[in-house]
Amino acid sequence: MKFLKKIFLSIAFIAVTSQHPICCHHTLSWLGKHELGFSSVVFKKGRRKWEVEIDYLIDDSPNNHQAWVYGRQMEDGFILMNQPWNEKVKAINRVNNIKEAMELINE
């Protein structure tokens, strides 16, 4: 995670989570414990994540991918994190980990 800390110094990273607001304390504690250093955290229902003013969303949900494409009328900016449950999704940008996502963003 050291490479993430270096990147956080030059780019604003926002955590967009679908966690229910009642769980926000646990979510924020987990993020703090893992020292991910997000500049802010947004609690937003999964299918509405596309509404948050961000350039990229790294997510593993087929439903969130579909909502992003429908809501933004384009796939640009959505990075699908490979998981068994999304292998049938036809996504332009696929990655296996955060490091690959950062390389894709920095191309």
Side-chain angles (χ1 to χ4, degrees):
M1 292 294 187
K2 288 182 180 180
F3 76 96
L4 279 180
K5 290 179 183 179
K6 291 178 186 176
I7 293 169
F8 283 149
L9 297 175
S10 61
I11 299 173
F13 271 84
I14 301 169
V16 183
T17 178
S18 295
Q19 293 294 326
H20 192 279
I22 204 163
C23 301
C24 74
H25 173 73
H26 299 291
T27 302
L28 294 172
S29 294
W30 186 90
L31 291 171
K33 177 182 174 185
H34 290 85
E35 299 178 354
L36 297 175
F38 289 99
S39 54
S40 63
V41 179
V42 176
F43 292 87
K44 192 75 145 174
K45 290 281 184 188
R47 292 185 183 211
R48 299 188 67 156
K49 288 182 178 182
W50 68 269
E51 297 173 346
V52 180
E53 290 190 39
I54 52 177
D55 296 321
Y56 297 95
L57 179 66
I58 304 167
D59 204 302
D60 65 356
S61 168
N63 293 333
N64 293 346
H65 175 265
Q66 182 180 15
W68 178 280
V69 172
Y70 180 80
R72 294 209 175 188
Q73 298 296 300
M74 64 178 164
E75 191 172 350
D76 292 352
F78 193 96
I79 300 172
L80 192 65
M81 183 76 70
N82 284 327
Q83 292 295 338
W85 54 84
N86 67 31
E87 61 189 24
K88 293 183 181 180
V89 175
K90 291 182 169 99
I92 294 171
N93 298 311
R94 284 185 163 272
V95 297
N96 294 304
N97 53 54
I98 296 295
K99 189 171 185 178
E100 286 181 10
M102 297 314 306
E103 290 168 359
L104 184 66
I105 290 168
N106 289 318
E107 283 183 350

